[in-house]
Amino acid sequence: MRTRPLKVALLGCGVVGSEVARIMTTHADDLAARIGAPVELAGVAVRRPSKVREGIDPALVTTDATALVKRGDIDVVVEVIGGIEPARSLITAAFEHGASVVSANKALLAQDGAALHAVAEQQGKDLYYEAAVAGAIPLIRPLRESLAGDKVNRVLGIVNGTTNFILDKMDSTGAGYQEALDEATALGYAEADPTADVEGFDAAAKAAILAGIAFHTRVRLDDVYREGMTEVTASDFASARNMGCTIKLLAICERAEDGGSVTARVHPAMIPLSHPLASVRGAYNAVFVESDASGQLMFYGPGAGGAPTASAVLGDLVAVCRNRLNSTTGPGESAYAALPVSGMGQVVTRYHISLDVADKPGVLAQVATVFAEHGVSIDTVRQQGKDGEASLVVVTHRASDAALTGTVEALRKLDTVRGVASIMRVEGE
Ligand SMILES: NC(=O)c1ccc[n+]([C@@H]2O[C@H](COP(=O)([O-])OP(=O)(O)OC[C@H]3O[C@@H](n4cnc5c(N)ncnc54)[C@H](OP(=O)(O)O)[C@@H]3O)[C@@H](O)[C@H]2O)c1
């Protein structure tokens, strides 16, 4: 074993960074044996230097992250600050000053992954980010390496623990959205400002990263269709139960049936209770991968939290350190397929539509005609009347989102349709 240590700069020492530092210290001997050289924490960049940080030598703490990454003797920079800047400039400077990088930063990788990979490649360095998607769950490496010989057609997952906790609460207790969100906040599952989670931004960043790796195609955050889950109601859950379904916020990355394009989207959807993703409870994450040769694979586990996320960071750190000792690099960006990324209109799925209509003869026929005119075939219709008003629940066969949008626009123009109460996609069948 080499005795000269590999030097690691830790950028950020918060929820994830503090656990990375702890595991590096407590597992130092095992890590050294697995890597073939000791790893030494050479510096820790933070915003508030006076904060007491258990187990961290105060002499290592600095607020000058730029100077730390430019030192020239750093082998690996671990970026767990988050956000776009200064993380992007720090990672770029790290490559330019001789270090490889491990990051947990989904927002940055979804937005600028291609540019960062390009700098890493020019400088002959590694960029690893297993922790950026679904915390502890090994997903990036299985897609990038274990499935490198297969053809992935679909990645369907619950990649945000906060929203899964809220939806699970609504499902199991009949609570409304706000009540379930309040409980998630009180228990520490939701942040004070939950926008990134409940509006689907966090899941969309993960979908962009997963789609890019799965389809060997650049997929940016802007390419991902995004709908949050704040409009999901207790009555949507009742409708879902009537169909033998539950509701999950899903990230769905798909190759089109003709193989010529891909799509990536995040939205709430009904999935059958028999689907493995339906039984993912609380703040857990799970991702279902469908490939030509492997068939269906499911990855399940804690998708966030300090220690679980640090586990993924440490796994990357070991891989990058091994590469470093062997004077090699691991797989970089693979975007050779360069498939077009289609918009939501091209997505084909089933829909559950709930309409408020006048309770009089001929309404059902009128509504059915509008669906037929737009080429959307109806699977089932359920009608319930009450005092001159009625609700119509229509479940369609598979149709394009463009056709469904046209149908709904035309339905809204019918005098007998008082309103479109909800539209939800039905997935996983
Ligand atoms: N938390 C999770 O469960 C989880 C799961 C998966 C991925 N991630 C990702 O991991 C990353 C870190 O998340 P986190 O939850 O650990 O965040 P956090 O608890 O807010 O920690 C951020 C750390 O960065 C430091 N920092 C902020 N701005 C800085 C700057 N300009 N220069 C130097 N240091 C700076 C902070 O310093 P102070 O300590 O002085 O404030 C803090 O130590 C993010 O990219 C996040 O998306 C987190």
Side-chain angles (χ1 to χ4, degrees):
M1 179 157 71
R2 192 177 99 158
T3 50
R4 188 160 51 84
L6 288 151
K7 293 193 178 178
V8 176
L10 184 60
L11 309 184
C13 193
V15 174
V16 179
S18 59
E19 284 297 311
V20 170
R22 182 185 64 77
I23 299 170
M24 278 183 70
T25 311
T26 55
H27 295 187
D29 292 345
D30 286 325
L31 290 172
R34 291 170 197 176
I35 290 166
V39 273
E40 175 191 312
L41 196 53
V44 180
V46 296
R47 207 171 20 188
R48 295 164 297 164
S50 51
K51 188 177 169 205
V52 177
R53 298 174 200 267
E54 204 185 320
I56 307 270
D57 177 355
L60 295 178
V61 175
T62 175
T63 53
D64 194 347
T66 307
L68 179 59
V69 300
K70 288 185 175 175
R71 255 170 55 168
D73 66 336
I74 301 295
D75 292 285
V76 186
V77 166
V78 174
E79 184 276 308
V80 279
I81 291 177
I84 305 299
E85 284 295 351
R88 177 172 48 199
S89 304
L90 291 168
I91 290 175
T92 305
F95 291 137
E96 289 167 351
H97 289 79
S100 282
V101 173
V102 173
S103 173
N105 194 332
K106 65 215 104 174
L108 178 58
L109 283 148
Q111 185 177 304
D112 286 322
L116 292 173
H117 271 295
V119 184
E121 197 174 328
Q122 273 161 21
Q123 303 292 336
K125 300 293 176 292
D126 274 327
L127 171 60
Y128 277 46
Y129 43 90
E130 183 65 67
V133 181
I137 307 172
L139 204 51
I140 306 277
R141 199 158 311 151
L143 281 172
R144 189 187 256 175
E145 298 183 34
S146 318
L147 291 167
D150 207 337
K151 182 180 174 198
V152 176
N153 294 313
R154 199 157 191 245
V155 180
L156 177 76
I158 296 166
V159 293
N160 182 279
T162 305
T163 47
N164 201 56
F165 179 90
I166 294 169
L167 291 170
D168 186 24
K169 256 295 138 211
M170 291 173 75
D171 191 20
S172 57
T173 66
Y177 164 72
Q178 191 58 48
E179 196 186 330
L181 171 62
D182 290 346
E183 185 169 348
T185 311
L187 292 171
Y189 288 117
E191 301 200 12
D193 176 3
T195 310
D197 294 320
V198 300
E199 295 295 353
F201 291 102
D202 174 84
K206 293 164 178 170
I209 296 170
L210 289 175
I213 296 172
F215 304 133
H216 301 271
T217 287
R218 275 185 194 158
V219 180
R220 284 173 50 98
L221 187 54
D222 297 348
D223 296 321
V224 182
Y225 171 83
R226 179 192 54 77
E227 228 177 83
M229 43 73 73
T230 55
E231 313 267 292
V232 176
T233 62
S235 112
D236 290 327
F237 273 102
S239 302
R241 263 191 297 278
N242 273 330
M243 285 182 61
C245 288
T246 186
I247 298 171
K248 297 289 187 189
L249 184 75
L250 296 179
I252 305 171
C253 313
E254 274 175 326
R255 197 185 284 279
E257 272 165 26
D258 67 3
S261 62
V262 296
T263 51
R265 53 193 164 114
V266 168
H267 54 73
M270 294 185 184
I271 53 165
L273 292 170
S274 56
H275 192 283
L277 288 179
S279 53
V280 176
R281 311 297 305 270
Y284 273 79
N285 283 193
V287 178
F288 205 68
V289 178
E290 297 173 13
S291 307
D292 263 3
S294 73
Q296 298 178 325
L297 305 169
M298 172 112 149
F299 300 82
Y300 172 83
T309 308
S311 163
V313 170
L314 264 296
D316 280 353
L317 180 64
V318 168
V320 168
C321 286
R322 285 175 179 156
N323 290 343
R324 193 99 178 160
L325 286 182
N326 292 325
S327 304
T328 184
T329 52
E333 185 191 31
S334 172
Y336 73 91
L339 293 166
V341 185
S342 304
M344 196 59 191
Q346 311 300 309
V347 164
V348 175
T349 189
R350 297 179 66 205
Y351 301 86
H352 177 285
I353 302 130
S354 187
L355 303 170
D356 294 328
V357 297
D359 191 10
K360 58 184 190 188
V363 173
L364 185 54
Q366 253 186 346
V367 167
T369 303
V370 169
F371 276 86
E373 280 169 357
H374 290 82
V376 179
S377 152
I378 293 177
D379 181 17
T380 60
V381 185
R382 214 179 58 243
Q383 185 169 13
Q384 232 173 15
K386 43 170 188 221
D387 310 329
E389 296 292 305
S391 73
L392 259 190
V393 174
V394 179
V395 180
T396 74
H397 287 296
R398 281 165 63 77
S400 74
D401 220 78
L404 196 276
T405 304
T407 308
V408 171
E409 271 170 24
L411 286 171
R412 287 190 204 275
K413 289 185 189 142
L414 291 180
D415 289 344
T416 47
V417 172
R418 309 274 192 248
V420 180
S422 84
I423 304 169
M424 194 155 309
R425 299 173 183 90
V426 185
E427 302 287 343
E429 294 179 306

